[in-house]
Amino acid sequence: MKISNTPNTSSTITGFILLGFPCPREGQILLFVLFSALYLLTLMGNGSIICAVRWDQRLHTPMYILLANFSFLEIWYVTSTVPNMLANFLSDNKLISFSGCFLQFYFFFSLGSTECFFLAIMAFDRYLAICWPLHYPTLMTGRLCANLIISCWVLGFLWFLIPIIIISQMSFCGSGIIDHFLCDPGPLLALTCEKPPVIELVFSTLSPVPLIIPFVFIMGSYALVLRAVLKVPSAAGRKKAFSTCGSHLAVVSLFYGSVLVMYGSPTSEHEGGMQKIVTLFYSVVTPLLNPVIYSLRNKDMKKALQKFLRL
């Protein structure tokens, strides 16, 4: 991997410079304290859900097993960016190595893809529970649940492997400065010396698929759920059915809303500051809010968390 000042001369350098959030030293320290607190709260919130599901026998069902795995995923998702961001707040050079940059790129987008797949199978679980309540125990077995979870992780981590390998073999020109707090593909590709059409086509084709296909699957699942719920004669029955989906729909709206704003339109349409804010929302704020959403809207989870916190 090389970076050159001109297309004809190249020299190996130690890495890229992540500008992050440029501000005076005092502001950097304040941001360090703020994001350290957010990071710890995210770890505690998602960790509490994992422990509650693990220790409460009533939550040993596919719905909560998927939720515990989702919380485990969220912990690693936020960990792929925040620790390096915290180190940069206290750093003078804000340097990240080539290997560190592409490892962050790979893990951040692989975990993001895995999150999309998890949201899809969680919607599928709700579809089976509401549309096929009598057959649900025989359809959503422990074995099927485990296979779906493994498939999410495998697909998520395989999908971006080829694009990452392709981009890592390209040469980079200019100063090596990335106006972002992570190795995002937009600013990173802007530093490449040449942009072969084939590479751009491969990346632009493969990248949206983990977003679009799960999103269409989620919308289809909830369309069928809505149709089934509207057929329920009692208002209490409809309310109960909707309440089981409310938390998941809120999480889907938060994640997909921000991601689609970020990647649903050309990168050139977003200013650097807006890119950082939107990326910050779906990569840091959403994992922080997810445990709150699931615990506030779910009585069983609320009771399990209260029981766990009293231990």
Side-chain angles (χ1 to χ4, degrees):
M1 291 167 285
K2 295 180 182 292
I3 183 164
S4 58
N5 293 323
T6 66
N8 297 323
T9 60
S10 62
S11 58
T12 303
I13 66 167
T14 54
F16 297 102
I17 297 173
L18 292 176
L19 289 183
F21 301 92
C23 61
R25 184 67 177 175
E26 294 78 10
Q28 296 284 313
I29 294 174
L30 182 62
L31 288 173
F32 174 82
V33 174
L34 173 63
F35 283 101
S36 294
L38 293 177
Y39 182 55
L40 290 175
L41 288 172
T42 302
L43 297 183
M44 291 170 59
N46 287 284
S48 296
I49 286 182
I50 295 171
C51 293
V53 173
R54 172 66 180 83
W55 288 331
D56 194 321
Q57 294 291 331
R58 296 172 302 173
L59 302 185
H60 289 186
T61 62
M63 174 182 170
Y64 292 108
I65 291 172
L66 290 173
L67 178 57
N69 278 271
F70 186 73
S71 294
F72 178 75
L73 167 65
E74 292 287 63
I75 288 174
W76 287 107
Y77 189 46
V78 74
T79 300
S80 68
T81 58
V82 173
N84 184 73
M85 182 168 59
L86 294 176
N88 274 0
F89 286 141
L90 303 179
S91 173
D92 293 326
N93 56 29
K94 303 186 184 303
L95 190 69
I96 184 171
S97 66
F98 274 113
S99 58
C101 183
F102 283 100
L103 278 174
Q104 185 187 63
F105 186 178
Y106 174 66
F107 279 103
F108 179 72
F109 283 92
S110 295
L111 290 165
S113 299
T114 305
E115 179 159 348
C116 293
F117 293 132
F118 258 102
L119 290 172
I121 65 169
M122 291 168 79
F124 176 66
D125 174 70
R126 292 300 82 208
Y127 159 73
L128 291 180
I130 293 173
C131 296
W132 303 90
L134 298 179
H135 301 282
Y136 177 73
T138 56
L139 291 172
M140 183 57 79
T141 61
R143 183 174 181 178
L144 176 60
C145 185
N147 287 337
L148 289 173
I149 291 170
I150 293 171
S151 298
C152 286
W153 285 99
V154 172
L155 282 173
F157 274 81
L158 286 180
W159 197 264
F160 273 96
L161 191 58
I162 293 176
I164 295 293
I165 292 174
I166 292 174
I167 296 174
S168 67
Q169 301 306 310
M170 300 174 71
S171 298
F172 296 88
C173 297
S175 61
I177 295 175
I178 298 176
D179 187 13
H180 215 303
F181 63 86
L182 57 82
C183 289
D184 194 69
L188 193 60
L189 287 172
L191 294 174
T192 56
C193 300
E194 298 178 359
K195 298 176 178 62
V198 175
I199 293 178
E200 288 192 335
L201 179 62
V202 170
F203 190 79
S204 61
T205 302
L206 291 179
S207 298
V209 174
L211 284 173
I212 296 172
I213 293 181
F215 182 71
V216 171
F217 187 84
I218 291 168
M219 292 299 100
S221 297
Y222 277 113
L224 296 173
V225 167
L226 179 62
R227 188 179 69 174
V229 170
L230 292 177
K231 294 180 179 179
V232 176
S234 66
R238 289 194 296 270
K239 183 179 179 180
K240 182 179 179 181
F242 277 126
S243 67
T244 63
C245 304
S247 299
H248 184 252
L249 278 173
V251 171
V252 169
S253 300
L254 281 174
F255 180 76
Y256 268 100
S258 54
V259 169
L260 290 175
V261 166
M262 186 70 225
Y263 298 105
S265 57
T267 306
S268 58
E269 293 186 6
H270 301 289
E271 296 181 357
M274 182 58 68
Q275 287 186 31
K276 296 175 191 178
I277 292 171
V278 177
T279 305
L280 197 65
F281 187 83
Y282 71 77
S283 65
V284 178
V285 178
T286 300
L288 171 67
L289 294 178
N290 287 350
V292 179
I293 293 171
Y294 279 110
S295 60
L296 288 179
R297 296 184 62 89
N298 190 297
K299 293 181 180 179
D300 292 334
M301 178 57 67
K302 192 183 296 185
K303 290 179 182 178
L305 285 172
Q306 290 173 349
K307 181 180 177 181
F308 167 69
L309 294 174
R310 284 197 298 265
L311 293 177

